[in-house]
C-alpha cells in the first residue's frame, strides 16, 4: 500500500526573543509512504519508507528526499473480527535513512512499542498510544529524545477491495513536558 501525507508548518523554531519571527524549519511537506507487510495468523510485520516529494522551509526547498525507514512487528491479542474490541501490541525500529539537514531524519536508530485498539467490521474506528526512544537530537535550547505518540483513526468500505480512511496523530517529546 501507499499512504499520502501533507503537513503544513509541522516544525518551527521559536527564538527566545519574542520580537523575532519563528523560523519554519519545515513549512510544507508532501510525502508518499509505500509499505509492504505480511501476516501469519496473529503475527504481522511491515516495512515503511517515506519519500518526501517536496519539503519547503524558510531556508530552502528540496524534491525527492527519503525519510527514516521503519520496520514494525506485532501480535494481535484480541481480533476485532471475533470480539467487539481488537487489541494488538506493536514494536517499531526506525533506521536513520532520512535527511537530517532537512529535518526529515534522526541521527541514529530508534525503537519503541505501542498498544493499539480497534472496533468494527465494516466501519472501523481505532486508536493507539506508544513510546519511541533512541537517538538524542541536541538543538539550541531544546533536546529531542524519547517521544510519546498517539493516533485516532477510522475507515469505511468504498468497494469490496478498497477502503477510505483518515487518521490524526501526534508526537510529544518528553523533554518538552
Amino acid at each position: 500500500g501507499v499512504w499520502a501525507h501533507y503537513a503544513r508548518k509541522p516544525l518551527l523554531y521559536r527564538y527566545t526573543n519574542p520580537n523575532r519571527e519563528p523560523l519554519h524549519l519545515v513549512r510544507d511537506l508532501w510525502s508518499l509512504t509505500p509499505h509492504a507487510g505480511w501476516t501469519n495468523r496473529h503475527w504481522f510485520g511491515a516495512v515503511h519508507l517515506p519519500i518526501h516529494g517536496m519539503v519547503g522551509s524558510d531556508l530552502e526547498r528540496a524534491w525527492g528526499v527519503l525519510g527514516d525507514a521503519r520496520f514494525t512487528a506485532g501480535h494481535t491479542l484480541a481480533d476485532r473480527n471475533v470480539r467487539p474490541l481488537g487489541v494488538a501490541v506493536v514494536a517499531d525500529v526506525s533506521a536513520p535513512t532520512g535527511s537530517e539537514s532537512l529535518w526529515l531524519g534522526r541521527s541514529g536508530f530508534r525503537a519503541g512499542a505501542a498498544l493499539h485498539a480497534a472496533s468494527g467490521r465494516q466501519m472501523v474506528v481505532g486508536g493507539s498510544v506508544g513510546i519511541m526512544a533512541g537517538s538524542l537530537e541536541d538543538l539550541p535550547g531544546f533536546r529531542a529524545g524519547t517521544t510519546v505518540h498517539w493516533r485516532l483513526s477510522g475507515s469505511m468500505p468504498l468497494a469490496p477491495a478498497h477502503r477510505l480512511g483518515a487518521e490524526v496523530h501526534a508526537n510529544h517529546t518528553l523533554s518538552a513536558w
Side-chain angles (χ1 to χ4, degrees):
V2 177
W3 287 91
H5 310 269
Y6 172 72
R8 176 95 171 125
K9 300 180 183 178
L11 183 61
L12 62 91
Y13 180 81
R14 293 188 192 277
Y15 294 98
T16 55
N17 179 350
N19 296 323
R20 286 188 73 179
E21 288 292 317
L23 175 65
H24 291 92
L25 299 171
V26 178
R27 181 181 289 273
D28 291 292
L29 183 63
W30 292 90
S31 306
L32 291 175
T33 303
H35 56 95
W38 58 267
T39 60
N40 183 0
R41 202 162 149 81
H42 296 291
W43 293 94
F44 55 91
V47 60
H48 318 264
L49 182 61
I51 302 167
H52 304 294
M54 191 282 292
V55 57
S57 72
D58 288 348
L59 305 173
E60 64 184 303
R61 183 175 301 267
W63 305 88
V65 180
L66 291 179
D68 285 348
R70 198 180 71 184
F71 307 91
T72 60
H75 181 69
T76 302
L77 302 173
D79 188 339
R80 70 174 170 77
N81 292 307
V82 177
R83 298 188 175 155
L85 181 67
V87 178
V89 292
V90 177
D92 283 299
V93 174
S94 178
T97 56
S99 171
E100 282 184 75
S101 64
L102 293 172
W103 304 95
L104 300 175
R106 300 296 289 252
S107 63
F109 283 88
R110 294 174 52 78
L115 180 66
H116 296 259
S119 184
R121 294 206 176 104
Q122 292 299 314
M123 301 289 284
V124 179
V125 295
S128 70
V129 63
I131 191 164
M132 287 288 284
S135 63
L136 294 174
E137 312 299 334
D138 285 313
L139 306 170
F142 180 74
R143 181 175 228 187
T146 300
T147 58
V148 171
H149 56 89
W150 60 265
R151 300 172 191 268
L152 297 174
S153 60
S155 72
M156 58 186 259
L158 292 179
H162 296 80
R163 298 185 68 82
L164 176 65
E167 179 177 271
V168 175
H169 62 115
N171 297 311
H172 305 279
T173 301
L174 291 181
S175 61
W177 289 358

